Amino acid sequence: MSGTNSITTEQLRLWDKRHVWHPFTQMQEWERDEQIIIVKGEGCWLIDTDGRRYLDGVASMWTNVHGHCRRELNDALKEQVDRLEHSTLLGLASEQSIILAARLAEITPPGLDRFFYSDNGSTAMEVAVKMAYQYQVHSGRPERSRFITFRHAYHGDTLGAVSVGGIGIYHTTFKPLMFETIQAPAPYCYRCEMGCSRTSCSMECIDALEALMEGNAGLVAGLVIEPLVQGAGGMIVQPAGFLKRVRNLCDRYDILMIVDEVATGFGRTGKMFACNHEGVVPDIMALSKGIAAGYLPLAATVMIDKVYSAFLGSYSELKTFFHGHTFTGNPLACAVALKSLQLFQQDNLLAELQPKIAWLTQRLGDFESMPHVGDVRQCGLAAGIELVENRETGAPYPWELKVGMRVCLEARKRGVFSRPLGNTIVIFPPLVISNSELEILLNVLQESIRVVTE
Ligand SMILES: *Cc1c(COP(=O)(O)O)cnc(C)c1O
């Protein structure tokens, strides 16, 4: 077999259906349907084997920042691959991983300046959870073994990450394999568990959270939260001030605050990190998705010195963190991540983002009056449009109808790739998306919602 160019689309389709198991996918349906095969990327566009172009409305699973095949990033990668493709961090240090940690330390919230590398969001969270518990052990409090989590939370698909998650359809099957957590109500204002509405809310869910902390006093190692917005749960945006109040409660009950910035980190919310909006400094923070601009798998778990220094001692004290991944700190990924940070500055990306966020807010207003739109939620350049069967009662569409997926299939016919969260339509484009591309994205999604629901 020589180059890939000689292989026909038909052959690729056949092999894909015969040999590849796609994630989060009912393969019986996948094998039945005609699938798009992407071969190229250009800016915010993905191009398939037939030369058809699709606007990447979900930034290739929420990772892409500066567009596809951005020249500066490609060059950084090429330059690095000719110097060193990989060497291990077990027993050796490597140049790019050092520089990246030092640069990241300059932009992460104050005090978060020690980086434990891994290669995806789930592992970054596994590390956070294990580290938080071992910290309690080293602090002479091994009975603090529980974790407080939120309903509708998503932290990844490995078993530890699943245990601290709270999405029924993904997580229930694995219940016998999971550890138990203390689950707090999600700040899901559209479907408030406390029976409040946005206008009557005084964050009763925070009182419920405090009651759980009180009831489990002295038994909790850490609290795990997606800051500002629960992503995979349906782009569920928290009321302003919620994160800060969670921080205050963690302080009061001496609980480590673990913040999962895997989806929100690197500009998505309009600031570099979601925590920045409320001046929150977590004890541990997980980073991945956008860290290497959507180019390569890379993740980091960042912690304050109090956590790090609890692990210091002679080898025989057995305080070592016995955890690590083979491709930890990969130089190619780190080199791209470094260049990505440079591009944030060079392009003045965060400032450029603000008018786009404002325009998105305004344009989303047009969706609110649609007959099957129940709720519209936005946080920075991320948004969710929750479709419902009955707007008056908020009754959801039966999940088996796959209304969200059908909307995305309509969008695909119109040259936009999107992927829903249940019946919530997701808007999560590369941060460099232009105004005109953003307009295409919103127009196509609106038309597709109309076609499917009206
Ligand atoms: C995507 C995601 C993860 C998991 O990351 P993977 O790289 O898919 O393992 C964890 N937390 C949040 C908030 C995410 O959005």
Side-chain angles (χ1 to χ4, degrees):
M1 240 173 298
S2 57
T4 50
N5 292 337
S6 54
I7 298 171
T8 63
T9 306
E10 273 330 293
Q11 181 67 75
L12 290 172
R13 288 221 165 92
L14 225 102
W15 279 342
D16 177 65
K17 288 179 181 182
R18 184 170 305 159
H19 298 297
V20 182
W21 188 340
H22 289 257
F24 281 96
T25 300
Q26 176 43 258
M27 289 304 292
Q28 183 171 307
E29 294 177 359
W30 181 271
E31 288 184 33
R32 185 195 61 205
D33 297 337
E34 170 128 329
Q35 305 299 344
I36 295 168
I37 300 171
I38 298 300
V39 289
K40 272 181 72 168
E42 266 177 32
C44 295
W45 297 83
L46 296 167
I47 300 159
D48 77 1
T49 43
D50 302 323
R52 279 207 59 166
R53 296 163 66 85
Y54 301 89
L55 185 58
D56 188 357
V58 283
S60 292
M61 211 47 246
W62 312 356
T63 59
N64 194 284
V65 177
H66 308 289
H68 294 280
C69 285
R70 172 80 186 245
R71 189 180 45 77
E72 293 94 325
L73 295 172
N74 288 12
D75 288 346
L77 182 56
K78 289 173 194 168
E79 201 175 299
Q80 180 57 36
V81 80
D82 281 334
R83 281 155 54 78
L84 173 67
E85 77 304 327
H86 184 66
S87 71
T88 182
L89 293 197
L90 284 71
L92 291 171
S94 73
E95 183 188 22
Q96 299 299 335
S97 63
I98 297 169
I99 303 171
L100 179 61
R103 291 278 181 267
L104 285 172
E106 291 168 6
I107 60 167
T108 44
L112 287 156
D113 50 16
R114 177 75 59 172
F115 294 78
F116 189 97
Y117 286 114
S118 61
D119 38 38
N120 62 72
S122 309
T123 54
M125 286 305 297
E126 293 281 341
V127 166
V129 165
K130 287 175 72 178
M131 194 175 268
Y133 177 62
Q134 195 174 337
Y135 162 82
Q136 300 293 359
V137 171
H138 294 332
S139 307
R141 308 187 292 195
E143 70 285 358
R144 283 183 172 253
S145 62
R146 300 187 190 171
F147 286 85
I148 295 180
T149 60
F150 289 91
R151 271 189 277 290
H152 303 295
Y154 180 79
H155 300 290
D157 293 327
T158 56
L159 283 173
V162 166
S163 295
V164 294
I167 302 181
I169 196 169
Y170 301 165
H171 298 153
T172 307
T173 312
F174 302 106
K175 209 151 187 177
L177 309 185
M178 287 152 59
F179 61 81
E180 270 193 42
T181 68
I182 302 157
Q183 213 176 58
Y188 188 178
C189 298
Y190 179 58
R191 301 185 185 281
C192 176
E193 286 181 49
M194 318 305 293
C196 303
S197 70
R198 285 198 176 100
T199 44
S200 70
C201 165
S202 43
M203 286 194 225
E204 284 74 0
C205 51
I206 284 283
D207 302 333
L209 175 63
E210 177 158 23
L212 290 173
M213 289 184 175
E214 179 88 52
N216 291 279
L219 299 172
V220 179
L223 169 142
V224 182
I225 187 169
E226 290 159 90
L228 260 55
V229 51
Q230 291 184 305
M235 295 295 155
I236 301 167
V237 178
Q238 300 157 12
F242 181 82
L243 191 69
K244 184 81 187 165
R245 290 183 65 176
V246 171
R247 172 72 270 185
N248 293 342
L249 285 180
C250 287
D251 284 340
R252 190 173 312 151
Y253 291 89
D254 196 11
I255 291 168
L256 291 177
M257 185 183 192
I258 302 168
V259 161
D260 180 350
E261 290 254 14
V262 169
T264 50
F266 299 96
R268 180 56 54 182
T269 64
K271 292 188 187 286
M272 196 49 116
F273 301 105
C275 285
N276 299 144
H277 288 268
E278 300 191 0
V280 163
V281 180
D283 300 298
I284 302 178
M285 183 161 115
L287 302 173
S288 186
K289 290 204 168 99
I291 191 172
Y295 266 59
L296 286 159
L298 181 68
T301 308
V302 201
M303 74 293 310
I304 57 167
D305 186 65
K306 177 177 86 170
V307 174
Y308 171 72
S309 54
F311 288 73
L312 301 179
S314 67
Y315 188 73
S316 56
E317 284 177 79
L318 288 176
K319 286 185 169 181
T320 303
F321 187 49
F322 289 109
H323 185 112
H325 297 280
T326 307
F327 278 99
T328 286
N330 174 260
L332 299 174
C334 290
V336 174
L338 268 168
K339 182 56 76 174
S340 170
L341 291 182
Q342 267 181 30
L343 289 181
F344 265 96
Q345 289 209 314
Q346 186 185 311
D347 296 352
N348 212 2
L349 190 54
L350 292 178
E352 293 285 324
L353 213 51
Q354 306 312 316
K356 286 182 222 171
I357 292 170
W359 185 85
L360 179 61
T361 308
Q362 196 193 342
R363 184 67 181 83
L364 282 171
D366 304 337
F367 287 73
E368 271 162 14
S369 54
M370 296 177 76
H372 288 279
V373 169
D375 194 30
V376 178
R377 303 180 279 267
Q378 181 197 1
C379 181
L381 209 62
I385 300 164
E386 184 170 338
L387 303 176
V388 292
E389 184 153 64
N390 187 325
R391 209 171 127 88
E392 304 308 313
T393 61
Y397 280 111
W399 61 271
E400 314 90 282
L401 288 185
K402 298 205 293 185
V403 168
M405 192 55 87
R406 276 159 48 203
V407 169
C408 291
L409 289 174
E410 286 297 325
R412 184 184 294 194
K413 290 188 206 158
R414 294 163 174 80
V416 164
F417 177 75
S418 186
R419 188 163 167 95
L421 296 161
N423 289 330
T424 297
I425 305 305
V426 174
I427 295 163
F428 206 111
L431 297 187
V432 291
I433 192 167
S434 70
N435 294 341
S436 57
E437 289 165 336
L438 201 49
E439 205 166 333
I440 294 173
L441 177 59
L442 274 288
N443 289 347
V444 166
L445 288 178
Q446 188 165 26
E447 192 182 328
S448 304
I449 291 172
R450 267 199 201 112
V451 167
V452 173
T453 64
E454 292 177 22

